[in-house]
Amino acid sequence: QVQLVETGGGMMQAGGSLELSCAASGRTFGWYAMGWFRQSPGKERDFVGAINWISGNTKYADFVKGRFTISLDKSKNMVFLQMNRLNPEDTAVYYCAADRYPGRIGASRNDYDYWGHGTQVTVSS
């Protein structure tokens, strides 16, 4: 079993930056992609971006390209989501997820096997 814990959420004014962290524990070997998703009240859980644990390749949703960056610290089993130029539409609960399937960077929530409990990000105008 894998446990994922997100931290770093909070309140921010539009235009600001925030970095989210995801710490993984438990059975930590064999991962192939780590993803970030977000969900606003009454909306679907949307793909934000993901990174392949082995290659370091990344994939991002169109609405965050150029503003968000995902990175890894393999020595600490951690994934980061750096968010810049935040706007109120970025307000959501952000979730970290892990995918065991090799050779892909999934963009669907169905691609991911393990999930954290989420961290709230609120951006005010």
Side-chain angles (χ1 to χ4, degrees):
Q1 193 71 7
V2 172
Q3 293 80 43
L4 303 174
V5 178
E6 305 93 338
T7 56
M11 298 183 68
M12 178 62 61
Q13 286 192 326
S17 299
L18 205 60
E19 184 178 64
L20 305 182
S21 301
C22 174
S25 60
R27 184 177 176 178
T28 57
F29 60 89
W31 301 340
Y32 296 95
M34 297 294 293
W36 285 97
F37 288 74
R38 69 185 190 184
Q39 188 168 19
S40 302
K43 295 187 178 180
E44 296 290 320
R45 189 171 297 188
D46 292 330
F47 173 74
V48 174
I51 186 166
N52 187 283
W53 192 268
I54 297 173
S55 68
N57 292 335
T58 55
K59 178 188 291 184
Y60 296 97
D62 287 342
F63 60 81
V64 302
K65 281 182 179 177
R67 297 191 301 128
F68 293 7
T69 303
I70 297 174
S71 60
L72 289 170
D73 186 335
K74 295 182 181 182
S75 67
K76 298 180 179 178
N77 286 334
M78 293 191 71
V79 183
F80 305 95
L81 177 65
Q82 176 66 44
M83 303 185 293
N84 299 324
R85 290 182 280 134
L86 287 162
N87 59 63
E89 290 70 38
D90 295 318
T91 295
V93 177
Y94 284 72
Y95 297 89
C96 174
D99 176 11
R100 297 176 297 168
Y101 194 84
R104 72 180 178 194
I105 305 177
S108 167
R109 57 182 297 184
N110 295 326
D111 295 331
Y112 290 83
D113 304 288
Y114 302 103
W115 292 84
H117 292 292
T119 184
Q120 176 71 47
V121 172
T122 302
V123 184
S124 60
S125 56

